[in-house]
Amino acid sequence: LSAQTRAITDTGQEVVLNSDGTYAYVNEEEAAAVTIPTNPEEFSKSDSASFLLKSKRIGVGFWLDPKLWSFGAPTDNPDAEYEVTLKGEDLYGV
């Protein structure tokens, strides 16, 4: 017999965590009021984006054009996995 666990989400809603990996909101009305915005625009990969930079931490990656972007270990943010910089410009991301 396992007990349920109560938790608070990062948006402040209280949930009950079940032993089978499912969850339920404690206040269903509050949960119904929450909407998650989505972007309906379709995204596509540019033909010049020929390098797939994959995360070693989670199952994601993104394509970049190595002629335009450089990447490597982060210099200013120890929590970041990579730092990407637009060559010759003042634009970067982590």
Side-chain angles (χ1 to χ4, degrees):
L1 183 69
S2 62
Q4 296 172 327
T5 302
R6 287 182 174 248
I8 304 294
T9 69
D10 58 358
T11 58
Q13 296 162 318
E14 189 174 7
V15 293
V16 174
L17 305 175
N18 301 309
S19 60
D20 64 358
T22 62
Y23 67 93
Y25 289 98
V26 171
N27 183 344
E28 289 292 333
E29 291 175 7
E30 182 180 305
V34 173
T35 58
I36 300 173
T38 60
N39 186 340
E41 185 176 336
E42 184 174 324
F43 294 90
S44 61
K45 178 181 107 32
S46 165
D47 290 338
S48 64
S50 60
F51 187 83
L52 177 59
L53 185 59
K54 293 182 182 180
S55 172
K56 297 174 198 165
R57 300 177 186 171
I58 58 174
V60 299
F62 65 93
W63 291 92
L64 57 84
D65 182 344
K67 293 179 182 175
L68 298 176
W69 294 90
S70 62
F71 64 92
T75 56
D76 295 329
N77 185 344
D79 295 324
E81 186 172 2
Y82 297 107
E83 182 175 281
V84 294
T85 305
L86 184 58
K87 294 178 179 178
E89 301 289 337
D90 189 23
L91 179 64
Y92 72 97
V94 291

